[in-house]
Structures are given as structure tokens and as C-alpha cells.
Amino acid sequence: MKKMVALLSLLLAFTVVLTACGTNTKNEANDTDNKSSSQESLYDKVKKEGVLTVGTEGTYPPFTFHDDSDKLTGFDVEIAKEVAKRLGVKAEFKETQWDGMFAGLDAKRFDMIANQVGIDEDRQKKYDFSDPYIQSGAVLLVHKDNSDIKSFDDLKGKTSAQSLTSNYNDLAKSHGAEVTGIEGFSQAVQLIGSKRVDATINDKLSYLDYKKQHPDAPIKVADEEESGVASGLMFRKDSGKLVEEVNKALKAMKDDGTYAKISDKWFGEDVSPK
């Protein structure tokens, strides 16, 4: 009798193990299916609704801002609109402050961010990025008549107008410059124009934007970084096919000249990664 009970107990335990294994295998398969489904579902959702929701600041010229008629415009806005058009949908912008932008993406308030977001290792751990669509590095600016400063190394002993909290302030100091504190880029240009300082280091895109609006500004580029920071359109992790289709759209825009046209409008040159 005891042997019979022991045998029945063993069979019952074996049955439970088989059932559990079958359930685990089924759950793993479901998890895989669900993950695959989630990768496709965002793109399918965008196509079905006919709308690509885009998070952006709306206060960051020339990338995303409101013009004199209060219309949202800018380089990133036009890029996002063209991408959506090539996906066969309409871009719908949701404006938010920079500090809340990533949280908004996490909360699925929008499908994509277009706001010159730099691609770095930490962000790539949590988010998906499109292929880089814009790149910028530091430029050394001097008065148009200045022939003494031709490289960053020539800053030693010279005066450079810098925002004291920026990375460019540290870069100027590392090359031996004597820093004069300023509040913004326009003030730096004024000080260079009046020859009260010798130079300033700033973002190349900021310079191009300023020069586009003030073509007669008495400044020129003496030197620039060979490599810069690349930016991409940003998505939640596992956005899968949507990122793939956006990359196809960006490539097509570059191939047919549309990207260069938008870039020239805002910066006066092609600012795509080389």
C-alpha cells in the first residue's frame, strides 16, 4: 500500500512539473509574440490613425520656435513634417519644456521627439534613435580683420568671451585664454565687433543661425572641431519598424535634395553628418 501511495505521489509530482514546463514555454512564447507585436504596433498605430505625434520645445530657435505670427516653425519642425509626409501621415506637435520632454515620451504622450537631442551612450541605453540627421561642434570666432588667431592653440594669452557655465568656457580656458564672462552669444559678437575681446567659442549651428540673420556681422570662423555631436530623432525603446521607416525617410530626403534645401533655409549650408 505504501509503495502504491509513493508511486502515485511520484506520478503526481511529475505531472505538475510537466504542466509547469508547458506553461512556462507557452508564457515565453507569448512574451516573444508580445514583444514582436509591440515593435510593430507603434508603426501600425501611427499609420492607422494617420498621425505622428512629435514632442518638441517650441522655444528653441532656430530648431523649434514660434515666429512673429505665432506659428510653430524651425529646422526640426520642418524635418519632422517632411518625415511624417513620407510616412503617409501628418505630424502633430505637442510642446513641452525640455525637462519634461523625456518623461512625456515615456508616458506615451508622443511617438517621437524632434528637438536636436544629442545621441550619447546613456540615452541610447534607454531610448531608440534615428540615424543622425544633424551634427554640430565648437567653432572659434574672431573679428573679420583678425589675422593673429588661426587655431584654438592661438588663444593662449588672448581674451575670449564665454558664458561661465558652458562647456565652451572650459574649452577656452584649456587653451590658455583669459575669459570674459557674458550672458549670451549676441553679447559675445558685440564685444568682438568692438574689439574689446579677441574671440569666442560657441556652437557652430548657433553661429550659422546668427550669421544667416546678421550677414554683415564682423566675425569669421578661425578654427572648428573636426568632430561634433550628432543628434537624432528619439523614440521609446523597441519602437522597431517606426524607427526603420523614419530612417528610410531621412535617407530619401538627403538623396533627393530635400534635406539640403531645408538645411540651407535655416543655416545657409548642409549641416548633415559627414
Side-chain angles (χ1 to χ4, degrees):
M1 185 66 178
K2 289 182 179 180
K3 290 183 178 180
M4 181 64 70
V5 171
L7 182 59
L8 289 173
S9 298
L10 183 61
L11 287 173
L12 179 61
F14 186 63
T15 302
V16 170
V17 170
L18 287 177
T19 302
C21 289
T23 301
N24 287 340
T25 302
K26 185 176 181 181
N27 287 340
E28 290 174 2
N30 286 339
D31 288 343
T32 301
D33 290 342
N34 288 338
K35 184 175 181 180
S36 176
S37 176
S38 67
Q39 288 179 338
E40 299 298 321
S41 64
L42 180 56
Y43 175 74
D44 293 340
K45 169 182 168 293
V46 168
K47 291 291 288 183
K48 180 180 179 181
E49 297 179 357
V51 175
L52 176 68
T53 55
V54 183
T56 195
E57 279 183 283
T59 57
Y60 181 43
F63 302 96
T64 163
F65 67 104
H66 287 260
D67 62 18
D68 293 338
S69 65
D70 201 34
K71 179 184 177 182
L72 181 66
T73 189
F75 175 78
D76 278 42
V77 172
E78 289 200 22
I79 291 292
K81 283 183 176 179
E82 184 65 25
V83 164
K85 178 182 176 182
R86 290 173 187 248
L87 294 182
V89 299
K90 179 181 178 182
E92 180 181 290
F93 294 91
K94 293 184 180 294
E95 297 176 51
T96 183
Q97 294 180 346
W98 173 265
D99 292 341
M101 195 172 300
F102 290 16
L105 185 64
D106 294 339
K108 300 183 179 181
R109 287 188 54 220
F110 25 82
D111 308 313
M112 178 183 88
I113 289 177
N115 208 93
Q116 201 204 8
V117 182
I119 302 172
D120 63 34
E121 187 175 346
D122 288 338
R123 288 173 182 159
Q124 286 179 305
K125 291 177 182 177
K126 188 174 181 181
Y127 299 98
D128 284 345
F129 280 91
S130 70
D131 293 334
Y133 71 102
I134 192 170
Q135 183 167 330
S136 182
V139 288
L140 173 61
L141 304 174
V142 299
H143 192 280
K144 65 179 183 178
D145 298 330
N146 189 312
S147 58
D148 296 329
I149 300 175
K150 298 178 181 178
S151 72
F152 288 101
D153 291 335
D154 293 332
L155 278 176
K156 188 174 182 179
K158 305 294 185 180
T159 54
S160 186
Q162 305 295 153
S163 170
L164 299 181
T165 59
S166 75
N167 294 334
Y168 300 124
N169 175 52
D170 297 334
L171 182 59
K173 286 183 176 180
S174 72
H175 285 283
E178 298 176 6
V179 171
T180 296
I182 57 167
E183 295 182 358
F185 183 65
S186 295
Q187 185 181 1
V189 175
Q190 291 172 5
L191 291 175
I192 291 173
S194 61
K195 298 185 178 181
R196 292 163 60 189
V197 298
D198 299 306
T200 187
I201 300 175
N202 212 292
D203 179 77
K204 181 179 180 180
L205 297 180
S206 296
Y207 162 71
L208 291 174
D209 175 49
Y210 187 89
K211 194 68 174 175
K212 183 80 173 177
Q213 298 182 52
H214 305 87
D216 297 327
I219 54 176
K220 67 179 181 180
V221 176
D223 197 6
E224 64 179 286
E225 289 182 326
E226 291 184 4
S227 61
V229 177
S231 297
L233 302 170
M234 196 171 82
F235 309 80
R236 287 183 297 279
K237 269 293 183 187
D238 298 323
S239 289
K241 190 174 180 181
L242 180 59
V243 181
E244 294 173 7
E245 294 301 319
V246 167
N247 283 337
K248 290 178 183 178
L250 288 172
K251 184 180 185 304
M253 289 163 60
K254 292 176 182 178
D255 289 345
D256 66 19
T258 302
Y259 178 95
K261 183 177 179 180
I262 296 173
S263 181
D264 186 67
K265 172 182 176 180
W266 292 101
F267 300 110
E269 65 177 66
D270 188 341
V271 296
S272 61
K274 301 298 186 284

